[in-house]
């Protein structure tokens, strides 16, 4: 059965826009309205009646619906509706019970979205949160009450929040807790370990060249983790997130295969598993370790960056193409980062190893003609060297060196980067055509050469069928930061989800 997200994806708009078109709750441009209506017709989409009532503010979601007496006259004004998305109270127009005018709960999805926006744009006022999430301000108040009481959130002093007119509103932000998180980014060339608070503030960081032997690498990473934990003995380590250059198993404990490192089935979580007794010396707690594919982790990082700069609470679906030594692809669909089927053999996908040149250059994965063999930052060196690179030889020329030569006006370097852009565009055109998600964010080291890459990249995409079917967009993300930042996002995101669940259970 098609969903609101399906309509939004086909129309190339946000789910909020689709809702506004269906419910006529906000003016939408004629062009966007036409695309939404066409998508609805194409998918034979039937709006959820409960969802429509929610959008029209005639339905009040409840985490706990009060029992109604069979003799009570409230039965005439309330109806309980149960469905796959939970239980709600339908408020009829004649209802006058003041108890029904306040919202006593919100969905876990809405609460998680609210926490993400606070982290991305803190300090942020309740009014801005309500506007971005398109809910009543009273909903925000009810959502943040237990989070303020628990100490997770705090309200900023008025002078810390800039207002447009009049007295500055009080802003919400994450409190600097007594707990912290550690992120570990295992890169093909270098690895990083860092500690941060839930609000994103970095406490400490270090990096080193990645050893080629997995046991040596994990031993060095564990030593770095122990060192950081020891330097922050006044705080409690909550969890460890690990970003790895390859797919992981469904339990997110093992790196299945890292082609550029030659690692297979590495038990990363077990190697970094530590116990914590900082609070009670007699009580040992095993610190959770979550292992995630680096492209998926980087997508979480980019989602936070885009949320910070977003004018609304929702993000349009987008695909992240992270280009460094290899190419990794991550997706955000309906505001959530796609993490694969998470079955025993499921993983988010490895678009970097799709074939774009039949019988082409050999790839580290064992295939020939892989996309990353032609369009990655690492491939630029061999493309630049060309025939001057002896068979089987290696060049020490780095991508930033080629960019520097292009900046200095060297034609060979400029042409190399233009070729990289063309190959990138071929793969991106395939992704947009295959997935139907028209917004692309490119991040990683390749962004250093964006000035020389962008034109040929866009021209390659424009040659595909995509340009005749949809309005697409390609933008540059961050060149650095998403490795370690992504590893931290993995565990902080899980931490927030746990808090939401606990808050719901305690309600």
């Amino acid at each position: 059965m098609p969903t609101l997200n399906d309509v939004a994806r086909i129309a190339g708009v946000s789910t909020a826009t689709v809702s506004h078109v269906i419910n006529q709750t906000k003016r939408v441009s004629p062009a966007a309205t036409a695309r939404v209506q066409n998508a609805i017709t194409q998918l034979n989409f039937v709006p959820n009646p409960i969802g429509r009532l929610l959008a029209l503010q005639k339905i009040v979601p409840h985490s706990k619906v009060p029992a109604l007496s069979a003799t009570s006259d409230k039965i005439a004004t309330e109806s309980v509706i149960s469905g796959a998305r939970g239980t709600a109270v339908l408020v009829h127009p004649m209802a006058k019970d003041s108890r029904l005018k306040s919202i006593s709960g919100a969905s876990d999805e809405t609460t998680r979205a609210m926490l993400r926006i606070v982290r991305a744009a803190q300090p942020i006022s309740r009014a801005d949160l309500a506007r971005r999430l398109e809910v009543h301000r009273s909903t925000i108040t009810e959502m943040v009450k237990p989070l303020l009481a628990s100490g997770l959130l705090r309200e900023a002093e008025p002078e810390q929040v800039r207002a447009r007119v009049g007295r500055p509103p009080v802003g919400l932000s994450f409190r600097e807790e007594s707990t912290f998180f550690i992120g570990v980014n295992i890169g093909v060339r270098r690895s990083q370990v860092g500690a941060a608070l839930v609000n994103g503030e970095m406490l400490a960081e270090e990096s080193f060249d990645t050893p080629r032997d997995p046991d040596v690498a994990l031993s060095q990473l564990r030593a770095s983790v122990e060192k950081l934990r020891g330097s922050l003995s006044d705080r409690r380590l909550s969890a460890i997130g690990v970003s790895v250059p390859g797919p992981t198993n469904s339990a997110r404990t093992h790196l299945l295969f890292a082609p550029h490192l030659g690692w297979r089935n590495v038990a990363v979580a077990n190697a970094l598993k530590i116990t914590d007794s900082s609070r009670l010396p007699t009580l040992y707690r095993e610190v959770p370790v979550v292992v995630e594919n680096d492209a998926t982790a980087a997508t979480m990082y980019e989602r936070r960056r885009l949320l910070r700069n977003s004018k609304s609470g929702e993000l349009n679906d987008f695909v992240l193409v992270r280009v460094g030594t290899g190419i990794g692809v991550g997706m955000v669909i309906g505001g959530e980062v796609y993490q694969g089927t998470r079955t025993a053999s499921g993983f988010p996908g490895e678009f970097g190893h799709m074939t774009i040149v039949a019988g082409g250059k050999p790839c580290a994965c064992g295939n020939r003609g892989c996309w990353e063999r032609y369009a990655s930052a690492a491939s630029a060196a061999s493309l630049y060297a060309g025939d001057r690179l002896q068979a089987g030889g290696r060049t020490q020329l780095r991508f930033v060196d080629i960019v520097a030569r292009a900046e200095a006006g060297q034609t060979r370097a400029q042409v190399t980067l233009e070729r990289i852009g063309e190959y990138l565009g071929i793969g991106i055109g395939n992704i947009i055509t295959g997935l139907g998600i028209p917004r692309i964010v490119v991040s990683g080291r390749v962004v250093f050469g964006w000035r020389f890459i962008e034109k040929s990249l866009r021209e390659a995409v424009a040659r595909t069928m995509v340009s005749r079917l949809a309005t697409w967009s390609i933008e540059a993300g961050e060149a650095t930061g998403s490795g370690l930042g992504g590893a931290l996002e993995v565990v902080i995101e899980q931490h927030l989800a746990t808090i939401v669940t606990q808050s719901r259970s305690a309600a």
Side-chain angles (χ1 to χ4, degrees):
M1 181 181 294
T3 66
L4 203 70
N5 286 332
D6 296 327
V7 175
R9 185 167 60 252
I10 294 295
V13 298
S14 70
T15 53
T17 299
V18 176
S19 177
H20 289 317
V21 171
I22 292 173
N23 301 298
Q24 299 181 351
T25 50
K26 187 176 180 180
R27 185 184 181 280
V28 178
S29 69
T33 299
R35 293 203 304 272
V36 171
Q37 292 173 339
N38 289 337
I40 289 174
T41 302
Q42 179 181 337
L43 295 171
N44 195 26
F45 172 72
V46 178
N48 185 326
I50 297 179
R52 295 195 66 180
L53 289 169
L54 276 166
L56 294 171
Q57 299 173 6
K58 294 181 179 178
I59 189 169
V60 182
H62 275 252
S63 57
K64 293 184 178 179
V65 180
L68 300 178
S69 168
T71 60
S72 171
D73 60 3
K74 294 188 182 71
I75 294 178
T77 60
E78 297 182 357
S79 300
V80 176
I81 300 177
S82 297
R85 297 187 179 183
T87 305
V89 177
L90 177 62
V91 182
H92 295 280
M94 69 286 290
K96 295 181 180 180
D97 188 347
S98 61
R99 177 174 56 83
L100 299 176
K101 294 180 182 179
S102 64
I103 298 176
S104 65
S107 69
D108 288 358
E109 181 181 350
T110 302
T111 305
R112 285 198 300 272
M114 183 270 291
L115 290 174
R116 286 172 186 155
I117 294 172
V118 172
R119 284 191 70 235
Q122 60 188 334
I124 183 171
S125 70
R126 298 186 188 192
D128 281 345
L129 277 174
R131 176 184 58 79
R132 293 179 65 165
L133 290 172
E134 298 183 327
V135 299
H136 286 294
R137 185 169 175 175
S138 58
T139 304
I140 300 297
T141 298
E142 290 298 320
M143 289 164 67
V144 302
K145 274 182 181 178
L147 302 174
L148 287 169
S150 69
L152 179 69
L153 297 183
R154 67 182 178 90
E155 292 185 295
E157 295 298 325
E159 60 268 19
Q160 293 180 264
V161 185
R162 291 178 296 178
R164 300 180 186 90
V165 179
R167 182 182 178 184
V170 174
L172 290 164
S173 60
F174 276 81
R175 184 184 295 276
E176 295 182 10
E177 295 185 296
S178 59
T179 61
F180 69 99
F181 303 84
I182 284 182
V184 177
N185 174 47
I186 302 177
V188 174
R189 297 185 306 125
R190 288 188 66 79
S191 291
Q192 301 164 287
V193 181
L197 299 175
V198 69
N199 65 5
E201 179 187 344
M202 289 295 298
L203 301 174
E205 180 182 347
E206 62 180 42
S207 64
F208 53 85
D209 291 339
T210 304
R212 308 310 292 181
D213 182 274
D215 293 333
V216 174
L218 290 173
S219 177
Q220 193 165 343
L221 288 167
R222 184 186 177 91
S224 292
V225 168
E226 293 281 14
K227 178 182 175 182
L228 284 183
R229 185 178 66 153
S231 67
L232 298 167
S233 57
D234 58 327
R235 300 177 186 269
R236 176 173 172 268
L237 174 58
S238 179
I240 300 171
V242 188
S243 171
V244 295
T248 65
N249 66 335
S250 59
R252 296 202 289 178
T253 58
H254 287 60
L255 166 62
L256 297 178
F257 181 37
H260 295 283
L261 289 173
W263 297 0
R264 287 182 181 273
N265 197 31
V266 179
V268 177
N270 188 63
L272 298 180
K273 189 178 297 182
I274 60 177
T275 56
D276 178 67
S277 60
S278 58
R279 290 287 179 178
L280 296 172
T282 58
L283 179 63
Y284 288 87
R285 179 185 69 95
E286 191 171 276
V287 177
V289 181
V290 183
V291 184
E292 186 58 87
N293 170 264
D294 57 1
T296 302
T299 304
M300 293 182 181
Y301 177 86
E302 285 291 335
R303 176 181 61 183
R304 183 186 179 197
R305 183 185 69 84
L306 292 173
L307 263 179
R308 181 175 65 243
N309 301 325
S310 174
K311 300 299 182 183
S312 63
E314 291 193 38
L315 283 175
N316 290 339
D317 299 343
F318 73 89
V319 175
L320 175 73
V321 178
R322 184 170 183 257
V323 188
T325 302
I327 295 179
V329 173
M331 293 175 282
V332 169
I333 303 175
E336 299 294 329
V337 175
Y338 179 66
Q339 294 178 291
T341 59
R342 290 302 177 196
T343 60
S345 59
F347 62 95
E350 285 291 329
F351 286 93
H353 294 285
M354 66 179 175
T355 303
I356 65 167
V357 178
K361 300 175 183 178
C363 180
C365 73
N367 187 24
R368 283 183 172 271
C370 289
W371 186 26
E372 71 173 37
R373 189 67 179 82
Y374 290 83
S376 66
S379 68
S382 58
L383 185 62
Y384 177 87
D387 296 335
R388 294 178 298 175
L389 187 65
Q390 296 180 357
R394 295 179 63 87
T395 176
Q396 297 300 315
L397 194 65
R398 300 175 303 165
F399 183 76
V400 290
D401 296 328
I402 298 174
V403 172
R405 295 181 185 189
E407 294 279 4
Q410 188 187 89
T411 301
R412 187 181 189 89
Q414 292 175 353
V415 170
T416 295
L417 296 177
E418 289 168 3
R419 291 279 303 281
I420 292 294
E422 182 178 11
Y423 284 128
L424 263 180
I426 292 171
I428 288 173
N430 290 342
I431 287 175
I432 298 176
T433 302
L435 297 178
I437 301 177
R439 184 182 184 184
I440 305 294
V441 178
V442 180
S443 73
R445 277 184 288 141
V446 76
V447 174
F448 287 126
W450 192 249
R451 170 188 167 189
F452 304 99
I453 288 171
E454 182 180 12
K455 183 174 183 293
S456 57
L457 188 161
R458 292 184 180 279
E459 288 174 348
V461 175
R463 289 195 297 267
T464 68
M465 186 175 67
V466 168
S467 64
R468 289 174 284 280
L469 293 179
T471 300
W472 49 273
S473 68
I474 299 173
E475 60 196 276
E478 294 192 1
T480 60
S482 63
L484 180 56
L488 287 164
E489 283 298 309
V490 167
V491 284
I492 294 178
E493 175 75 14
Q494 180 166 295
H495 174 69
L496 297 182
T498 300
I499 287 174
V500 171
T501 302
Q502 291 173 344
S503 177
R504 176 70 66 196
S505 299

